[in-house]
Amino acid sequence: MISTKKIKASPQSPTQLVSSSSADMIASNDDILTLILHRLPLKSLLKFKTVSKHWLCLITHPTFRPQHNSRAISGLFVCRLSDITNPKYDFLNLTPHSSRAPFKSLTFIDDPAGIKILQSCNGLLLCCSFRSNRLDTTYYTYNPTTKHYTVLPPPRHSSSGYYSFGVSLAFDPSKSPHYKVICIRNYDPELLDHYQVEIYSSKTGPWRPSGRPFVAPSNVQFENGVFWNGAIHWVSDWGDSLCFDVEEEQMRDIPMPSGDGDVRLYRYFGESGDHLHLVEVYGSDNLQFDVYEMERDRSGWFVKYQVDLNPVAAAFPEMVRGYADPIDLHSYAFSILCVVHEETDEGSFMVLHLPNKAIRYNFNDNSFRKLHDFAPLRSRVGVGGDSSLEFEYFDAYQFIESFACV
């Protein structure tokens, strides 16, 4: 009779010896180990950083770029109003699976003035002191995925009479692991329309002036810079807007779509998936509008999506104000928090803020669904009551998982 009893493998069985030998070979070969680590998702890499100092060194090396390190937007940080404490942030999860908020307030360093986000750029956040005057502001770069941060040195102009109009982050991980911070400051306290660019580089270090002073109209919104296609872009309330090519260190005019009046009525200006988008809405009762996209060569804009929010207003009657708001001049309470460009146009969408909630609106089929409920808070836009709004596009910051060094 043939016995069916299983034979227990000895500690020195050939299979175990081969397996142990293979594991030792991989562990001792940095090239093979790095190749394997490259293919792992970011959340796994965060855990594997604690395996050993050697693995930590490999994963955190500036040249290490995970295969899954994409530009996909996982969520939005939305800044809640706060006058005396650290700003609080709601997190809008944009992935199909549940996800915890990376943070509710920024406490990565003890700043007595609190910390707020200025800009998000391809996985990194540019932050600064919350309650401070222009001369005492401290700037930070922060990676919310790895929890690493850098305290930037103070800009060169930190003295009486000189101050910054805007500070912006320029980071493209597909081209370089390093980033730059662009500061627009006044050139001379007595020349109100003269500005100077200063640049900080994570590669070379201290702030330095870039080029000669330039003249720009006072309506350019330097405080809301957007990085796209190698340049920081700023919109203006009328006329052409500006962009600063970070590599060539050149300031250029960029054309804008023809508006319906002398003053432009922006509802959104931002980047997603390496595409730059703009939304202008004219007319107090207008729920139909276009989403523009910038040509790659910056020669002009074209209509990328056409939007009709009438079905949204029918489903959420709290949008209807019944009057034209004295601040934003619209009869419907909504703002655009983010235009999200997916790999295919069929998946692209925008995140809208309605009174006390956020919804997701699909461009392809005009479908929509609720994403998030906001706790009631005093209004920023509007007269008050249920038809008021709290957030605009510059209050929402993209969260992109990244292993970028700061």
Side-chain angles (χ1 to χ4, degrees):
M1 176 182 285
I2 300 176
S3 173
T4 59
K5 183 178 180 181
K6 294 182 179 180
I7 300 175
K8 184 178 180 181
S10 67
Q12 301 298 321
S13 67
T15 301
Q16 286 185 320
L17 289 174
V18 171
S19 177
S20 176
S21 176
S22 299
D24 290 340
M25 182 186 70
I26 293 173
S28 62
N29 189 314
D30 284 355
D31 291 336
I32 297 177
L33 183 57
T34 301
L35 185 63
I36 294 173
L37 293 173
H38 265 283
R39 299 175 179 272
L40 297 177
L42 294 178
K43 290 183 179 179
S44 297
L45 290 173
L46 287 173
K47 295 178 180 178
F48 289 159
K49 285 170 58 179
T50 62
V51 169
S52 68
K53 290 183 178 180
H54 181 58
W55 281 38
L56 174 64
C57 182
L58 290 175
I59 294 172
T60 58
H61 194 276
T63 60
F64 182 80
R65 298 183 185 179
Q67 200 173 75
H68 298 277
N69 206 16
S70 69
R71 296 190 180 189
I73 302 174
S74 300
L76 297 176
F77 301 112
V78 183
C79 183
R80 307 305 302 264
L81 292 175
S82 178
D83 290 331
I84 58 174
T85 61
N86 232 11
K88 302 296 188 295
Y89 292 87
D90 276 28
F91 181 68
L92 278 58
N93 178 27
L94 301 182
T95 65
H97 52 81
S98 60
S99 178
R100 292 181 58 186
F103 59 81
K104 293 185 178 179
S105 63
L106 293 169
T107 57
F108 56 83
I109 192 173
D110 184 17
D111 188 325
I115 305 173
K116 68 177 180 179
I117 303 174
L118 286 179
Q119 180 198 354
S120 58
C121 185
N122 292 318
L124 299 184
L125 300 179
L126 177 65
C127 308
C128 74
S129 305
F130 176 51
R131 302 181 312 279
S132 64
N133 60 47
R134 289 180 171 181
L135 298 180
D136 296 332
T137 300
T138 303
Y139 294 96
Y140 310 92
T141 50
Y142 177 59
N143 185 328
T145 303
T146 63
K147 312 300 183 185
H148 294 168
Y149 69 91
T150 290
V151 182
L152 302 183
R156 290 159 32 94
H157 66 274
S158 298
S159 60
S160 179
Y162 293 89
Y163 50 85
S164 63
F165 287 89
V167 181
S168 302
L169 179 63
F171 175 55
D172 186 349
S174 68
K175 295 183 178 180
S176 171
H178 304 287
Y179 61 85
K180 294 181 179 179
V181 182
I182 311 301
C183 175
I184 305 296
R185 66 167 175 84
N186 60 335
Y187 172 68
D188 187 314
E190 297 184 2
L191 298 175
L192 300 182
D193 59 349
H194 286 60
Y195 303 88
Q196 176 67 54
V197 176
E198 288 193 0
I199 299 178
Y200 169 86
S201 169
S202 64
K203 182 178 182 181
T204 59
W207 291 92
R208 61 175 177 83
S210 172
R212 299 174 61 84
F214 67 96
V215 177
S218 60
N219 63 83
V220 178
Q221 299 177 17
F222 287 121
E223 70 274 18
N224 294 319
V226 176
F227 179 69
W228 170 75
N229 194 19
I232 302 290
H233 298 73
W234 302 278
V235 292
S236 60
D237 293 329
W238 57 83
D240 288 342
S241 295
L242 294 177
C243 75
F244 179 74
D245 189 303
V246 176
E247 293 303 316
E248 297 182 9
E249 299 190 14
Q250 293 284 333
M251 190 72 72
R252 298 188 176 96
D253 292 335
I254 53 174
M256 300 301 288
S258 56
D260 289 352
D262 295 333
V263 179
R264 314 196 72 89
L265 299 179
Y266 296 109
R267 299 303 291 271
Y268 180 79
F269 180 62
E271 180 273 346
S272 171
D274 202 24
H275 297 261
L276 186 65
H277 299 112
L278 171 76
V279 177
E280 298 175 331
V281 180
Y282 296 91
S284 61
D285 297 323
N286 199 347
L287 288 175
Q288 296 177 320
F289 54 86
D290 297 325
V291 177
Y292 290 95
E293 183 173 315
M294 172 66 88
E295 297 281 4
R296 195 71 187 174
D297 61 0
R298 298 187 181 88
S299 59
W301 301 80
F302 62 92
V303 175
K304 180 66 176 178
Y305 307 110
Q306 293 183 311
V307 176
D308 183 0
L309 296 185
N310 281 289
V312 178
F316 299 98
E318 60 267 34
M319 281 180 63
V320 183
R321 285 176 170 148
Y323 60 90
D325 186 275
I327 296 178
D328 65 19
L329 304 178
H330 292 284
S331 300
Y332 293 91
F334 76 92
S335 62
I336 302 169
L337 297 183
C338 191
V339 171
V340 180
H341 185 98
E342 297 282 58
E343 292 183 0
T344 63
D345 282 340
E346 288 75 16
S348 297
F349 62 95
M350 67 178 174
V351 179
L352 294 173
H353 169 39
L354 312 183
N356 298 326
K357 64 178 62 66
I359 70 167
R360 174 176 175 148
Y361 177 95
N362 253 62
F363 292 119
N364 183 52
D365 58 8
N366 300 327
S367 62
F368 54 90
R369 62 179 175 86
K370 187 172 71 171
L371 273 178
H372 186 81
D373 285 311
F374 295 111
L377 198 65
R378 66 182 181 83
S379 75
R380 168 177 299 175
V381 181
V383 181
D386 294 337
S387 61
S388 62
L389 294 177
E390 188 182 340
F391 313 111
E392 294 288 344
Y393 73 87
F394 42 75
D395 297 310
Y397 308 92
Q398 299 174 8
F399 173 53
I400 298 175
E401 292 185 322
S402 169
F403 250 70
C405 296
V406 294

